[in-house]
Amino acid sequence: MNEILRNSLFFGVALSIGTFIIGTLIKRKWNFFLFNPLLVSITLTIATLLLLGIEYNSYNDSAKYLTYLLTPATVALAIPLYEQLLLLKRNLTAILVGIASGVICSGVSIFAMALFFGLNHTQYVTLLPKSITTAIGIGLSAELDGYVAITVSAIIFTGLIGNIAGDLLCRILHIKHPIAKGIAIGTATHVMGTSKAMEVGEIEGAMSSLSVAVAGIMTVGASIIFQWWI
Amino acid sequence: MKYILQFGIILLISFVGELLNRVIPLPIPASIYGMLILFTALCTGVLKLSHVRETGKFLIIIMPLMFIAPAVGLIESWEIMQEFIVAIIVISIVSTIAVIGAAGHITQLIIKFKGKEEKR
């Protein structure tokens, strides 16, 4: 039986999607903040692999076909970006300066804390893309020679914070304007925070998805400068 | 035909992005080049929304599924991660709060400032 699962082309994909659907159903039934579909799916998939004694590589030989779509999906982020062109143009300065200060704040705070914890260069560049969307973060971490898997976990952990507490943090920090809320949540916690921002309001959601794309591009630019500088 | 064309266009742009990533010596992933190409094509009218919309939205909706396998890959890199797991958690939490504060407040300040200016 395990031999069949190990060599299966569809087991990994089916396991990933199946556990995600279970996560969605659990979230629908009990709206507890830790029942995030992605978190549930990751946990159940790891548990299944460990229980059946299946190596990650055998699983990934099938599941990698889902990951393959990350590049086209990121290309598609240009669509919501284009659809919000009017709202973007009208508040261009506020949006761009806001996102830029978030990106700078992210780089500076990570750099300062990397020094504090005595991290080496590889560990530091691994955490640098943690606020941007996974598709861009994976590419950036690979380009900067970071540990891609750890970058993904830091990105997902950051996204979970946004999804769980993005709105709450905005309220605590007295960020009230809908555009500012969306920019803050999207710049800090990418797509996973954006799904929460969509629940908060239409403008919040639109601005959050916008900043996912813009912060991603800005972070790529800023990371190049950071890399040259250090 | 519509979906085949849309999927084809998005994959073709991804391929051009990949080529640019290979040719240009900058650490910019293929996906970013592709996003810029599609955005420019839409703004200049080379492509219409109807050329990419449904398939693009579908890809964005199923995006979380694409994060599962890389995240499960954590079990492979657990040993490297253990070295600085506390740093990862603390840095993630603190910098997330800092970024929300900085991006949110500066956006809010500029909007308020511009609003006052327009009223004058």
Side-chain angles (χ1 to χ4, degrees):
Chain A
M1 180 63 186
N2 273 12
E3 210 44 47
I4 299 171
L5 294 182
R6 243 180 229 120
N7 297 322
S8 167
L9 254 185
F10 298 101
F11 170 67
V13 174
L15 180 64
S16 305
I17 298 181
T19 50
F20 193 85
I21 291 171
I22 294 173
T24 313
L25 292 177
I26 293 177
K27 170 96 182 174
R28 204 169 289 168
K29 185 117 202 249
W30 300 282
N31 204 8
F32 179 57
F33 70 96
L34 278 182
F35 293 151
N36 181 290
L38 191 55
L39 183 65
V40 170
S41 172
I42 294 158
T43 314
L44 289 181
T45 302
I46 292 178
T48 309
L49 294 183
L50 291 179
L51 217 66
L52 297 176
I54 295 170
E55 306 79 25
Y56 174 71
N57 285 337
S58 318
Y59 157 79
N60 196 40
D61 272 342
S62 162
K64 70 180 176 198
Y65 294 106
L66 284 174
T67 317
Y68 165 82
L69 290 171
L70 261 178
T71 298
T74 312
V75 172
L77 282 177
I79 299 167
L81 186 61
Y82 175 71
E83 283 177 335
Q84 298 303 333
L85 199 58
L86 268 184
L87 203 56
L88 170 71
K89 275 181 180 166
R90 217 175 292 148
N91 297 286
L92 193 65
T93 320
I95 290 169
L96 287 184
V97 177
I99 298 173
S101 43
V103 169
I104 293 167
C105 177
S106 175
V108 171
S109 64
I110 293 169
F111 181 64
M113 282 187 283
L115 282 182
F116 176 77
F117 282 105
L119 302 187
N120 62 40
H121 184 75
T122 311
Q123 293 173 327
Y124 160 63
V125 295
T126 295
L127 295 181
L128 205 50
K130 68 149 204 60
S131 270
I132 57 177
T133 195
T134 315
I136 302 174
I138 284 178
L140 199 58
S141 179
E143 291 285 346
L144 297 173
D145 286 325
Y147 305 117
V148 174
I150 299 176
T151 302
V152 173
S153 69
I155 289 172
I156 288 171
F157 185 60
T158 303
L160 278 173
I161 300 171
N163 204 295
I164 293 164
D167 187 36
L168 183 72
L169 283 171
C170 280
R171 262 181 282 154
I172 293 173
L173 297 168
H174 299 291
I175 297 158
K176 286 167 191 150
H177 197 286
I179 293 179
K181 265 187 167 179
I183 297 294
I185 295 175
T187 305
T189 63
H190 57 91
V191 187
M192 290 169 72
T194 301
S195 68
K196 181 70 191 176
M198 296 272 186
E199 289 171 25
V200 178
E202 258 178 40
I203 301 175
E204 285 89 340
M207 281 300 130
S208 186
S209 28
L210 193 73
S211 28
V212 171
V214 178
I217 294 169
M218 281 186 183
T219 304
V220 171
S223 300
I224 297 169
I225 297 167
F226 258 65
Q227 208 191 13
W228 280 338
W229 184 43
I230 288 156
Chain B
M1 183 58 199
K2 182 174 85 178
Y3 295 106
I4 296 177
L5 186 72
Q6 292 185 342
F7 194 46
I9 288 174
I10 293 173
L11 284 187
L12 182 72
I13 293 175
S14 306
F15 171 59
V16 177
E18 191 184 25
L19 287 181
L20 290 177
N21 171 260
R22 295 278 164 87
V23 174
I24 303 172
L26 284 176
I28 295 180
S31 52
I32 296 291
Y33 285 121
M35 197 202 287
L36 290 172
I37 293 169
L38 180 55
F39 186 68
T40 313
L42 286 170
C43 287
T44 53
V46 175
L47 285 175
K48 291 199 181 102
L49 264 183
S50 61
H51 288 136
V52 287
R53 192 198 271 132
E54 285 79 12
T55 307
K57 294 253 156 133
F58 171 73
L59 284 171
I60 293 173
I61 289 168
I62 66 164
M63 223 171 165
L65 295 177
M66 304 163 196
F67 308 151
I68 300 171
V72 171
L74 270 180
I75 52 177
E76 288 288 284
S77 46
W78 179 242
E79 272 181 29
I80 325 164
M81 211 168 69
Q82 268 179 325
E83 280 175 30
F84 63 124
I85 185 81
V86 178
I88 294 174
I89 293 173
V90 173
I91 289 176
S92 296
I93 294 175
V94 175
S95 81
T96 299
I97 296 172
V99 174
I100 287 182
H105 272 292
I106 292 190
T107 309
Q108 196 162 265
L109 269 176
I110 298 175
I111 292 172
K112 275 184 187 162
F113 181 71
K114 287 220 157 178
K116 271 181 196 162
E117 238 177 20
E118 274 164 22
K119 272 177 197 162
R120 264 177 212 164

